[in-house]
Amino acid sequence: LLMREIGAILDEESAVTSYTTAIGGYLPKFYLTIAPGSDAEHSGQILVYLDENAGIGSYEAYAKYLKQRIDDQILGSKIEVNLPAITAPGSDIEIVLYSDNKNILYRYADELFVKIDKMESIEKIYTDIPRAVYQYEMVIDKDYAAISGLNSYDIQRQVNIALNGLKASSITSKSNEFDIFLSSNIGSMADLENLMIKSSFTNNKIMLKQVTTLELKSQVPIVYRYNRLPAVSLECTVGNGYNVQDSQKHIESLVASTIGDADIRVDYRG
């Protein structure tokens, strides 16, 4: 769906002559100057071909325009618009921060992101700082559940079916096979708490909220590592007319003054 939405935007651009789309991964390796990446269901890549006589000005300016137009029309996704690299693709400057203290690491990385983003020479900056997500954790009162004739399997299985549905069987009609999918109409936490859980031993039904407590908790879903320690990367693209070496020296000074004597190690790449 996302790729179709981007494709619809490109179809409206008179300067775009054609484009090649890869869904669920990245373009083949023979596109040597296109940023590589691993296959994943939630990713994709589009290679756009432009009419050299379309009068769009510089390719850099058109890439910025295209990025802005896509961002204005499509929300909730991370979309980058880059020109093919003359050499191997990658960021102009990459800073890797790593430490065994994740809280300190993420706090200083956030602070550095804001400072570097304010630099005039930096056109754009990306970071992989993981953000905490909130989810409900179901805590089972095993003693009361046992008295009620329920076990953890009964509760977890029926809650999972209620939330995610279940392919129960299939039916064949006129040589066509169709799946039979069971799902619930749970639309709120109250609906879930009032879900009736059936005991596999007694066939009695007990409300979920009588044997469990739902607690809202936050957690970091993923931790990136570098040299076996939790790590964060800051990738910077230097704007036209600015020197990469000068920008990196400025960034190195910012990093040193920001993290001070904090237990954070720093590597520079790019």
Side-chain angles (χ1 to χ4, degrees):
L1 179 60
L2 176 62
M3 303 301 271
R4 284 201 297 268
E5 291 178 354
I6 297 176
I9 294 174
L10 295 176
D11 288 338
E12 296 174 356
E13 290 292 321
S14 59
V16 175
T17 59
S18 63
Y19 51 88
T20 300
T21 302
I23 300 176
Y26 287 71
L27 291 164
K29 291 182 180 179
F30 58 78
Y31 292 105
L32 296 178
T33 61
I34 304 299
S38 57
D39 290 345
E41 292 183 356
H42 61 277
S43 66
Q45 196 171 50
I46 301 176
L47 178 61
V48 179
Y49 299 89
L50 301 177
D51 181 358
E52 296 181 359
N53 301 316
I56 58 174
S58 70
Y59 289 135
E60 290 82 3
Y62 188 73
K64 288 182 181 178
Y65 154 77
L66 207 54
K67 174 72 163 63
Q68 187 62 52
R69 185 177 176 196
I70 292 173
D71 286 345
D72 289 343
Q73 294 186 227
I74 299 176
L75 304 176
S77 298
K78 178 180 178 289
I79 299 171
E80 294 184 2
V81 178
N82 298 310
L83 296 175
I86 297 176
T87 57
S91 302
D92 294 329
I93 303 170
E94 183 177 357
I95 310 105
V96 182
L97 310 173
Y98 53 109
S99 170
D100 57 2
N101 189 321
K102 293 195 294 288
N103 292 330
I104 290 178
L105 174 67
Y106 298 154
R107 178 163 59 86
Y108 280 106
D110 264 327
E111 189 175 339
L112 276 171
F113 179 89
V114 173
K115 290 181 177 179
I116 295 173
D117 192 39
K118 291 180 179 178
M119 289 176 54
E120 184 179 344
S121 62
I122 299 302
E123 181 178 326
K124 59 184 176 182
I125 179 172
Y126 165 75
T127 180
D128 59 6
I129 300 173
R131 303 300 178 185
V133 296
Y134 289 88
Q135 61 183 15
Y136 283 95
E137 182 178 294
M138 186 173 65
V139 181
I140 301 173
D141 185 338
K142 294 184 178 180
D143 293 333
Y144 188 78
I147 295 173
S148 305
L150 295 173
N151 56 35
S152 297
Y153 176 77
D154 285 335
I155 298 171
Q156 292 172 358
R157 180 175 182 275
Q158 293 177 51
V159 168
N160 183 61
I161 293 174
L163 294 176
N164 300 315
L166 173 71
K167 178 187 174 184
S169 182
S170 60
I171 185 172
T172 302
S173 175
K174 296 181 180 179
S175 301
N176 293 317
E177 186 174 292
F178 302 94
D179 292 333
I180 298 175
F181 190 80
L182 298 179
S183 61
S184 70
N185 59 351
I186 289 176
S188 66
M189 289 303 300
D191 291 340
L192 180 60
E193 290 175 328
N194 292 328
L195 178 68
M196 301 300 290
I197 305 296
K198 183 178 180 179
S199 168
S200 57
F201 297 105
T202 66
N203 287 329
N204 291 333
K205 294 182 178 180
I206 306 294
M207 264 195 273
L208 181 65
K209 64 183 178 184
Q210 292 181 261
V211 292
T212 65
T213 302
L214 298 176
E215 300 176 353
L216 184 63
K217 293 188 175 181
S218 67
Q219 67 175 19
V220 176
I222 188 170
V223 176
Y224 299 103
R225 292 187 177 274
Y226 180 78
N227 287 343
R228 299 193 295 273
L229 294 176
V232 168
S233 294
L234 299 171
E235 300 178 13
C236 310
T237 300
V238 177
N240 291 330
Y242 293 94
N243 184 276
V244 173
Q245 287 74 22
D246 291 342
S247 297
Q248 179 160 327
K249 287 180 182 178
H250 188 186
I251 288 174
E252 289 176 3
S253 176
L254 275 178
V255 171
S257 62
T258 300
I259 66 176
D261 57 358
D263 183 24
I264 297 177
R265 304 176 195 178
V266 185
D267 280 354
Y268 293 93
R269 302 186 300 197

